[in-house]
Amino acid sequence: MSRPQPTPVHPARPGSRALTAEDLWRVPRLSSPEVAPDGRSLLVTVTTPEAAANLQRGRIWWVDGSGARAPRALTAVEHAASQPRWSPDGQRMAFLRKGPEAGARAQACVLALEGGEAERLTDLPLGVTDLRWLPDGTGLVLAAQLLAGHDTPEATRAELERRAKDPVKAHVTEERFYRYWDTWLTTGEVMHLFHLDLAARRLRDLAPAMRLWFDWMDPTGQLDIAPDGQELAFEALWFDERRSRVRSGIFTLPLAGGTPTCLTREHPAGAGRPRYTRDGRAIAYGMSHDPDFYADRQRLMRWVRATGTHEAWLEGWDRSPADWTLEADGGALLVAEHEGRQALFRLAPGASEPTALLTAGWAQGPARLGDGRIVLVHQTLSEPPEVVVLPAAGGPPTRLTRFAAEALHGVALGAVEELHFEGSHGATVQMFVIHPPPQAGAPAGPRPLLQVVHGGPHGVSGDAFGFRWNAHLFAAPGYVVAMVNFQGSTGWGQDFAQRIQGAWGERPLGDVLRGTDTMVATGLVDPARMALAGGSYGGYMAAWVAAHTDRFRCIINHAGVYDLLAHWSCDVTQGRHRSLGGHPWDGLEAIDRWNPARFTQGMRTPMLVIHGEKDYRVPETQGLACYNVLKAKGVPARLVYFPDEGHWVLKPQNSLLWYREVHAWLARWLGPVAAPQA
């Protein structure tokens, strides 16, 4: 293989020490900015982990859009605050706040920005998950869960108290869809929408009989209010009995109350994130076409309110917008994955395709300041999230905040490059390469390689800092880290993502192994000291690699799919037949063709298996079965099992243990960095 030429992405960062997991758990996380009505300042939630207390707390900060004045905190550190919303006159802030006591729920509060104490507005038994000001500032609309059949806050509170005393905790159901990620849906939580009249301090349920869900992973941002304040639009989910699947759709509801109307019930697949145009004439939303392909790209649509008709707005673009902000001239700011990045685009009025404004790093939550500049949260593989501004027409970002500077003071980071190589079936495949941090006295010559495989499979190893799997933290001991965006990854178009359906193990395996060959050809890595790590689908690939090659010295398998047939025990089974090649009753041969559990004879690579008990997406029996088979075969294996985690390890103390175990496993099998090449 000819020696490929890498392209620089981010330079090395000098420092006196390498990154540690403790450093990572001191780095703040930022929400999307909320721009003031006058366009001169913004609000942002800064969540600071407290590893010793095993929790994370958010504070709301005011940020000057000009950068002339330093950011200042508006909420106290004792309470977790989030979701700030400017009042229309810019004088007050509505937000969510959760007390420090165990089991506290987030409630709506309001704070006068000239000073004073925050006032709590709600006391709902399951808390508040989203809120919006009415355009005239007289009140708020908020979303909150109640229990089905217990359709008032008082009835839900009484039922929760009864359940807490009941010694029987069984889940009983006849539904196809009964749990999701780490949440049981048999307990009856459904979303309600309330109008809070601020003058009367009166809370009114707008649709007491509503039986809909908001997204369980992130229920915020589902709601919008018409410019005249008389109607709401929101995204919600329900189980479609006729189609035997969970669906998402766009609903409207008068502020006066009533029964929600679904605008997209006849759409072929999902629809979401409704936003009223500035003139109130239409509702923009995203729509997918393939109900069995969860990564089907989003097409932007408009529902014309006067005629009740749907029209395509951005139909032919081969990227998938994740977020859209509508502008006064009828255009929109979009963010979408694009070749390993999440880029910022603008869709001009009447244009058939957006124009790129920022294609480096990972953009989130764009909005316009009053002078036309664009403010957003931006991060890269080497830079944690911060608030930045761009010129009105796009260009390089300028930082407005430096919340992460203290946490990373003195930390050295290695250079980041990317490579393109010929993968499986002749396709061009991209890969990020993260070098170890520059260290005085570090040995020259090839380094150990850690090949990191992302999950999904329809996801991406992107140019983003990463808090659960941080590339620089993997590289910190002196390893070269490679992250292949194999065929099936998102951000390279619909065909690239969809072409692995029904054959999970074919093209991605070829891409990962060819990416490894490419790394060896660079001369950067020692082919005798290579490891592979993956989570979720990446864990599937860890098991698949273990069954088909022994070129890696060790493997790390986090929450990995091991047995495709047994994977029907997961939370969402709709579309599973397309992913895996068939149904259990008529596609066993196709399922077995790519099933690691059917190829255990080839497994002989030492493996660290990690799993969470509350993982309903890849149930913990998948990891346990893989571990048990390896131990029965006499293959070195180690199990790390978290009874209080789901698919991801989210608690700070658990995450610290996770990194200790991962680094110890790599050191055990790859040996010291200074060891000679075998």
Side-chain angles (χ1 to χ4, degrees):
M1 175 178 290
S2 61
R3 182 167 179 151
Q5 295 300 312
T7 301
V9 178
H10 304 297
R13 166 182 164 152
S16 58
R17 59 188 179 86
L19 182 69
T20 67
E22 288 76 13
D23 293 323
L24 190 64
W25 276 104
R26 286 190 286 267
V27 176
R29 283 79 160 152
L30 272 64
S31 71
S32 297
E34 176 85 1
V35 175
D38 65 8
R40 298 164 65 181
S41 60
L42 54 115
L43 302 172
V44 63
T45 302
V46 181
T47 300
T48 304
E50 298 178 24
N54 213 27
L55 52 79
Q56 303 182 58
R57 281 191 234 268
R59 298 181 75 185
I60 296 169
W61 290 70
W62 175 91
V63 178
D64 180 12
S66 71
R69 289 177 286 177
R72 71 175 189 269
L74 299 178
T75 59
V77 71
E78 295 82 19
H79 297 80
S82 63
Q83 294 185 45
R85 303 285 184 258
W86 293 94
S87 62
D89 62 6
Q91 301 300 307
R92 294 171 292 172
M93 172 184 75
F95 65 103
L96 301 186
R97 187 176 71 179
K98 183 166 61 174
E101 64 273 11
R105 302 282 187 166
Q107 302 293 343
C109 299
V110 67
L111 173 69
L113 290 175
E114 71 269 11
E117 294 295 321
E119 177 190 358
R120 192 171 81 170
L121 302 173
T122 62
D123 183 22
L124 290 164
L126 293 172
V128 176
T129 59
D130 205 355
L131 70 167
R132 291 287 186 276
W133 284 92
L134 291 175
D136 62 5
T138 61
L140 297 163
V141 172
L142 55 91
Q145 289 182 325
L146 296 177
L147 298 177
H150 308 273
D151 297 322
T152 66
E154 296 75 19
T156 287
R157 183 174 283 110
E159 175 61 11
L160 291 172
E161 292 172 356
R162 185 200 68 78
R163 291 181 186 182
K165 298 174 184 177
D166 192 337
V168 178
K169 308 297 182 184
H171 296 278
V172 180
T173 187
E174 293 187 15
E175 301 294 333
R176 177 180 181 182
F177 187 55
Y178 55 91
R179 60 182 189 172
Y180 187 72
W181 289 108
D182 61 355
T183 302
W184 281 89
L185 306 180
T186 54
T187 48
E189 290 87 350
V190 292
M191 197 61 72
H192 286 241
L193 294 169
F194 293 88
H195 169 222
L196 175 62
D197 184 322
L198 286 176
R201 291 299 192 267
R202 184 170 65 93
L203 195 64
R204 177 171 57 93
D205 194 336
L206 299 180
M210 195 164 85
R211 293 290 187 271
L212 299 169
W213 300 302
F214 278 18
D215 186 277
W216 297 278
M217 294 182 69
D218 184 5
T220 62
Q222 318 293 332
L223 173 67
D224 200 23
I225 301 178
D228 63 5
Q230 298 305 303
E231 182 184 84
L232 322 177
F234 59 95
E235 174 189 353
L237 300 99
W238 77 99
F239 189 80
D240 187 330
E241 296 284 353
R242 179 170 62 88
R243 303 185 188 184
S244 187
R245 65 176 62 251
V246 174
R247 298 186 59 204
S248 62
I250 306 300
F251 293 79
T252 57
L253 178 67
L255 183 67
T259 300
T261 299
C262 184
L263 306 180
T264 58
R265 193 170 295 276
E266 300 308 316
H267 276 18
R273 207 175 183 281
R275 293 294 182 268
Y276 286 92
T277 56
R278 296 288 188 92
D279 59 14
R281 294 180 179 178
I283 298 173
Y285 64 94
M287 183 183 72
S288 58
H289 285 180
D290 188 344
D292 289 324
F293 181 46
Y294 70 83
D296 187 41
R297 66 181 176 88
Q298 292 285 315
R299 290 85 168 167
L300 284 186
M301 303 288 293
R302 280 187 292 222
W303 185 72
V304 182
R305 299 174 73 193
T307 61
T309 56
H310 299 271
E311 61 182 31
W313 185 17
L314 182 60
E315 174 70 19
W317 193 40
D318 197 25
R319 292 294 182 266
S320 184
D323 188 9
W324 40 93
T325 302
L326 306 190
E327 302 204 277
D329 67 353
L333 297 175
L334 314 174
V335 295
E337 288 182 12
H338 177 66
E339 298 181 358
R341 285 87 175 169
Q342 183 154 284
L344 172 66
F345 299 86
R346 169 159 163 81
L347 180 62
S352 60
E353 193 163 301
T355 300
L357 303 182
L358 177 65
T359 56
W362 205 263
Q364 170 192 334
R368 293 277 184 186
L369 293 171
D371 59 8
R373 291 178 303 148
I374 303 169
V375 63
L376 58 117
V377 169
H378 186 258
Q379 61 181 304
T380 72
L381 274 162
S382 298
E383 298 167 311
E386 296 285 2
V387 180
V388 303
V389 290
L390 312 179
T398 301
R399 286 189 187 181
L400 280 182
T401 65
R402 296 186 178 274
F403 289 111
E406 182 179 352
L408 295 180
H409 179 70
V411 172
L413 301 177
V416 177
E417 300 173 328
E418 68 178 319
L419 289 163
H420 293 83
F421 61 92
E422 183 180 315
S424 179
H425 292 254
T428 298
V429 176
Q430 183 262 6
M431 170 173 60
F432 284 112
V433 178
I434 297 85
H435 292 261
Q439 298 169 329
R447 300 291 192 105
L449 170 71
L450 176 61
Q451 185 71 263
V452 176
V453 184
H454 70 69
H458 311 297
V460 65
S461 286
D463 189 8
F465 190 69
F467 289 101
R468 292 197 303 269
W469 284 48
N470 185 275
H472 284 287
L473 190 46
F474 285 135
Y479 307 138
V480 174
V481 175
M483 303 190 303
V484 176
N485 281 311
F486 50 82
Q487 293 169 78
S489 301
T490 49
W492 281 267
Q494 180 89 353
D495 173 70
F496 193 89
Q498 201 165 8
R499 64 180 56 160
I500 71 168
Q501 284 196 302
W504 266 15
E506 186 193 13
R507 290 175 186 250
L509 175 65
D511 293 346
V512 168
L513 295 183
R514 288 181 181 223
T516 304
D517 294 337
T518 299
M519 290 305 302
V520 172
T522 65
L524 294 172
V525 303
D526 181 350
R529 292 190 296 157
M530 300 191 300
L532 182 139
S536 192
Y537 171 84
Y540 162 87
M541 186 52 59
W544 189 249
V545 165
H548 290 84
T549 179
D550 59 0
R551 69 185 302 184
F552 296 99
R553 292 285 297 274
C554 69
I555 287 174
I556 297 164
N557 178 350
H558 172 94
V561 177
Y562 168 72
D563 186 337
L564 293 186
L565 182 59
H567 192 42
W568 278 78
S569 62
C570 69
D571 56 347
V572 177
T573 56
Q574 65 188 50
R576 188 65 55 197
H577 65 291
R578 288 271 296 279
S579 296
L580 304 185
H583 293 105
W585 54 89
D586 64 4
L588 278 178
E589 183 177 345
I591 293 173
D592 277 350
R593 173 65 184 87
W594 308 107
N595 189 355
R598 302 298 186 187
F599 295 87
T600 55
Q601 183 177 4
M603 291 185 175
R604 48 187 175 271
T605 303
M607 186 182 295
L608 173 65
V609 179
I610 308 172
H611 227 106
E613 186 173 300
K614 296 181 178 180
D615 187 350
Y616 306 151
R617 178 53 50 96
V618 181
E620 82 275 17
T621 52
Q622 294 278 313
L624 296 179
C626 184
Y627 174 76
N628 287 349
V629 167
L630 292 170
K631 297 304 287 187
K633 287 192 67 183
V635 177
R638 183 176 177 89
L639 176 67
V640 180
Y641 186 81
F642 292 100
D644 55 346
E645 298 282 8
H647 197 59
W648 307 286
V649 176
L650 300 178
K651 296 181 179 179
Q653 292 290 336
N654 286 345
S655 176
L656 292 174
L657 172 64
W658 189 95
Y659 274 111
R660 285 198 298 271
E661 289 286 342
V662 165
H663 279 143
W665 189 253
L666 293 172
R668 175 174 167 182
W669 296 101
L670 298 182
V673 172
Q677 182 172 340

